[in-house]
Amino acid sequence: MTISHKRLEELKNIPESAIDTSEIPELDASFWEKAKLVQPIAKQAISLRVDSDVLDWFKSQGKGYQSLMNAVLRSYVEHHIKNSQ
């Protein structure tokens, strides 16, 4: 999902007093006892041939299109891993 620069600026300018946090639970000691550190997976640069219309669509999604392509591929892989077990 992409967000416009205009919307980001609008969100930055909302005063904290106007943000409703009543439904967000406080993080107590039990949260931190169960918390796990998740390290990002290292990326590897590759050369990949894709159809030009597919690449154009991903690029049209804006900044981060390569990460979006990676997320789509990850979803595909995880689906197939889950269904092969």
Side-chain angles (χ1 to χ4, degrees), residues 5 7-9 13 15 21 24 26 28 36-37 42 48-49 57 62 66 69 71 73 75 78 81 83:
H5 292 290
R7 183 64 179 140
L8 281 174
E9 286 303 314
N13 293 321
T21 59
I24 301 173
E26 292 291 324
D28 58 8
K36 295 180 182 176
L37 177 62
L48 175 68
R49 293 183 181 275
W57 185 87
Q66 290 174 324
M69 292 174 80
L73 289 168
S75 175
E78 290 175 354
I81 290 171
N83 288 333

Side-chain angles (χ1 to χ4, degrees), residues 2-29:
T2 59
I3 188 166
S4 70
H5 292 290
K6 180 182 176 185
R7 183 64 179 140
L8 281 174
E9 286 303 314
E10 290 171 356
L11 293 172
K12 285 181 188 176
N13 293 321
I14 296 174
E16 289 204 24
S17 61
I19 300 172
D20 179 11
T21 59
S22 62
E23 294 184 14
I24 301 173
E26 292 291 324
L27 298 182
D28 58 8

Side-chain angles (χ1 to χ4, degrees), residues 63-83:
K63 186 176 179 180
Y65 76 91
Q66 290 174 324
S67 295
L68 178 59
M69 292 174 80
N70 187 70
V72 170
L73 289 168
R74 173 169 296 288
S75 175
Y76 180 86
V77 168
E78 290 175 354
H79 171 78
H80 284 276
I81 290 171
K82 179 181 172 185
N83 288 333

Side-chain angles (χ1 to χ4, degrees), residues 12-62:
K12 285 181 188 176
N13 293 321
I14 296 174
E16 289 204 24
S17 61
I19 300 172
D20 179 11
T21 59
S22 62
E23 294 184 14
I24 301 173
E26 292 291 324
L27 298 182
D28 58 8
S30 67
F31 171 85
W32 295 109
E33 290 169 4
K34 300 172 191 170
K36 295 180 182 176
L37 177 62
V38 178
Q39 296 282 358
I41 298 171
K43 302 280 193 264
Q44 182 175 353
I46 63 166
S47 175
L48 175 68
R49 293 183 181 275
V50 296
D51 296 338
S52 60
D53 60 328
V54 171
L55 181 59
D56 289 344
W57 185 87
F58 276 100
K59 283 185 172 184
S60 76
Q61 303 308 298

